Amino acid sequence: MKKLFFVLAMSSLAVVVADAAEQDTVNRCAAIISQFQQMPEKAIPRDVLRRAKGLAIMSVVKAGFIFSAKGGQGVVIARTPRGWSGPSFIATGGGGWGLQAGAQVTDFVMVLNNDAAVRAFSRGGNVTIGVDVSAAAGPVGRTAAGAVMPTAAVYTYSRSKGLFVGVSLEGAVIGTQRQSNFNYYGGPVRADSILSGVTKAPPGAAPLRRALGP
């Protein structure tokens, strides 16, 4: 019974993710950045964004009753000498077991503070938060906290809708979505080529790049 429920839950989440067109994902990530900047007390400080080497942005759906499943999709984007790169698509998924019930959609923004963090997402494989890159909750608000030098390779920010206990990115495995990159760029393209700026960003990426600023 446990295995059957888990398979069904993961299948449902997979359908949700599969139905999200690549441009819709990019547009949603642009909206997430804008929404984070509209929360004065919990906004990502401008200094943190100005120093960022890159960002990973995604929405994660977690739902279940006793058994749980989660899945999400988003993009990672990097700063290049010519401005922000195009988006490389990423996704995460998983399941759990315990006394939990409910459903929640959580928007995550991961600020990549150094080149090593960008390289981790450029490999085209999986990145485990807290293992491949160190992570910490980022400073918030338009205060002096934003001037503090980074203490981790990745700063994480989250914004939740709904009710669910214990949502965290620690230990999450985030993988490059090669097929989504293929679809969006119209052919085979590597994550490192996208994030280095070698592959030109499509016009549809303009709203996301504008939302991030210079």
Side-chain angles (χ1 to χ4, degrees), residues 26-46:
V26 173
N27 293 344
R28 185 169 65 250
C29 289
I32 289 172
I33 288 295
S34 297
Q35 289 162 5
F36 268 87
Q37 294 308 96
Q38 291 168 11
M39 300 185 295
E41 295 182 0
K42 302 239 174 178
I44 302 173
R46 294 186 184 277

Side-chain angles (χ1 to χ4, degrees), residues 76-132:
V76 59
I77 189 168
R79 196 186 296 276
T80 78
R82 297 172 297 282
W84 290 103
S85 72
S88 176
F89 291 84
I90 53 176
T92 188
W97 159 260
L99 296 177
Q100 50 197 348
Q104 184 180 59
V105 177
T106 303
D107 296 329
F108 288 100
V109 174
M110 291 161 273
V111 178
L112 313 184
N113 290 317
N114 55 39
D115 292 330
V118 175
R119 285 196 297 272
F121 282 92
S122 298
R123 293 194 302 254
N126 294 332
V127 178
T128 303
I129 304 300
V131 176
D132 295 316

Side-chain angles (χ1 to χ4, degrees), residues 46-106:
R46 294 186 184 277
D47 285 348
V48 170
L49 285 178
R50 274 196 291 263
R51 284 198 301 261
K53 301 294 185 179
L55 291 98
I57 311 155
M58 64 192 311
S59 287
V60 175
V61 180
K62 187 173 183 181
F65 179 73
I66 306 303
F67 311 106
S68 68
K70 66 181 179 182
Q73 190 176 41
V75 303
V76 59
I77 189 168
R79 196 186 296 276
T80 78
R82 297 172 297 282
W84 290 103
S85 72
S88 176
F89 291 84
I90 53 176
T92 188
W97 159 260
L99 296 177
Q100 50 197 348
Q104 184 180 59
V105 177
T106 303

